[in-house]
Amino acid sequence: MEPVHNDCRHFRGDIPCRPHKQKGYHCKNCPVYDKTSEKILIIKLGAIGDVIRTTPLLHRLKKEHPNSQIFWLTESPEALSSKYVDRILKASPENIELVKNLHFHWVLNLDKDALAISLMKRISSGRKSGFTMDEFGHCMPFGSRAEQHKWITGL
């Protein structure tokens, strides 16, 4: 069996990747194989304007984590560019189930609503930033001064 590079940025698993469709490339000897070594999830479900205002974060993430595969869970997928986000996920039951069953190296939850904080609590990750849920179901910051300040200003 031919090798399969499921760690490639282009790999999809359920359909042929874009380089295969466009150029006929196969994993073995693929000239555009782009190995990824970590997965980062951004949760920003809010209104389209809120999603757009947070997109500058992507430039820094790509610069500091060039081998990362970035996932973004949102209600406004049309506001995001596949140039910076590898997996743009509409906040649907199927995609919520998907992210709950993956392990991420870093999860950033930028929303304080019930769905976002409950996901933050359940998603497996080595590092988490933003907002989560306490034992009463209330929004709580993850701990940094910036997160605490943002949380306090919203109360």
Side-chain angles (χ1 to χ4, degrees):
M1 188 166 152
E2 183 176 313
V4 174
H5 298 296
N6 65 341
D7 59 353
C8 179
R9 183 174 316 283
H10 308 292
F11 185 80
R12 290 295 173 244
D14 58 337
I15 60 172
C17 68
R18 183 168 282 133
H20 174 77
K21 284 181 174 180
Q22 293 175 344
K23 304 282 186 176
Y25 298 150
H26 292 272
C27 285
K28 184 178 182 183
N29 304 319
C30 180
V32 294
Y33 170 51
D34 189 0
K35 182 180 174 69
T36 58
S37 57
E38 61 182 359
K39 292 187 302 290
I40 298 172
L41 172 64
I42 299 169
I43 301 170
K44 184 63 178 166
L45 303 173
I48 193 167
D50 290 340
V51 172
I52 291 168
R53 277 190 292 278
T54 56
T55 58
L57 172 68
L58 293 168
H59 299 282
R60 185 165 180 179
L61 281 175
K62 282 292 190 184
K63 182 179 179 184
E64 293 181 6
H65 302 271
N67 297 323
S68 67
Q69 196 173 38
I70 297 178
F71 292 63
W72 191 313
L73 184 66
T74 182
E75 291 288 347
S76 304
E78 65 278 4
L80 299 170
S81 167
S82 60
K83 179 178 179 182
Y84 295 102
V85 182
D86 299 292
R87 300 279 301 269
I88 300 170
L89 304 171
K90 171 80 173 158
S92 67
E94 296 83 8
N95 288 330
I96 289 168
E97 206 51 40
L98 173 69
V99 297
K100 288 189 325 190
N101 284 285
L102 291 173
H103 175 80
F104 292 92
H105 292 82
W106 188 10
V107 178
L108 295 95
N109 175 24
L110 306 173
D111 276 334
K112 297 186 244 179
D113 67 61
L115 176 58
I117 63 173
S118 64
L119 282 172
M120 183 66 145
K121 184 110 175 157
R122 303 231 10 235
I123 294 172
S124 172
S125 178
R127 177 181 176 192
K128 293 184 177 185
S129 302
F131 302 99
T132 191
M133 183 171 64
D134 69 11
E135 67 273 14
F136 300 105
H138 302 128
C139 177
M140 292 296 296
F142 230 83
S144 78
R145 283 185 174 164
E147 291 159 355
Q148 290 173 3
H149 176 73
K150 179 71 174 158
W151 178 68
I152 290 292
T153 60
L155 294 179

